[in-house]
Each structure stands twice: as structure tokens, then as C-alpha cells.
Amino acid sequence: MEGIHIAIVEPDLERQEWLLKCLSQEAGFGVISSAGRLLAAWLANAPSCPVDVLLIDVERTAIIGVQAWAAIRILLPDVRIVALAEGNNEC
């Protein structure tokens, strides 16, 4: 798969599906994994292709803290992170 590979970490299933829908409408993006927890999202993809962008809900994800950021750096050393916070759901 060419383009930008995205892994989504969003515990709210409805919002997770909404993100998948929005990103699937954009050329050049490919969602390679989607899960409610960081490790599950990583394991769903590893090692099939690199994750370019980690889209993570920092308000609802239970493991956000120093340990989580350290785990991200170890599991995905080259990833770019987009942190989601509460907002409206408009594409």
C-alpha cells in the first residue's frame, strides 16, 4: 500500500468508525489498523507495513501517560503523532 499509513487508537467505536469513514474519502491515506487500545492497534498491523501516523484520542484512551508515550517511541520510533481532543464530528 502506498501513501500515508495511519493507525487509529480510539476507544469509542462510533468515533472510530467515523474516523475510518472520513479518512477513506481522502486520497493518499490508508488506515492499516484501528483499535481502542494502543497495543491492539500496533499488533493488528505489526509487522506488515510501517505506521506513518498514529491518530490517538488523548482524552479517552486509558493508558495516556509517560509510560504510554515511552511505549509509542519504542514500538513506533519514526511515527508522527496526531493527538485528538474533544471536538465536533464534521468531515
Side-chain angles (χ1 to χ4, degrees):
M1 176 190 331
E2 292 186 30
I4 298 172
H5 305 118
I6 301 170
I8 297 173
V9 179
E10 171 56 65
D12 182 300
L13 186 56
E14 186 176 309
R15 191 167 181 197
Q16 191 181 119
E17 290 172 357
W18 175 82
L19 288 166
L20 286 166
K21 177 184 171 192
C22 287
L23 290 169
S24 69
Q25 297 173 10
E26 298 294 326
F29 291 130
V31 177
I32 55 175
S33 64
S34 179
R37 299 189 56 105
L38 175 63
L39 187 57
W42 182 76
L43 289 173
N45 172 59
S48 64
C49 64
V51 176
D52 299 312
V53 176
L54 178 64
L55 191 59
I56 186 167
D57 185 329
V58 295
E59 291 183 341
R60 297 182 200 156
T61 303
I63 62 161
I64 292 302
V66 173
Q67 294 85 1
W69 297 115
I72 291 169
R73 195 49 51 208
I74 291 167
L75 296 174
L76 305 166
D78 298 321
V79 75
R80 291 172 185 88
I81 298 169
V82 176
L84 299 174
E86 193 62 41
N88 61 22
N89 289 342
E90 296 179 13
C91 289

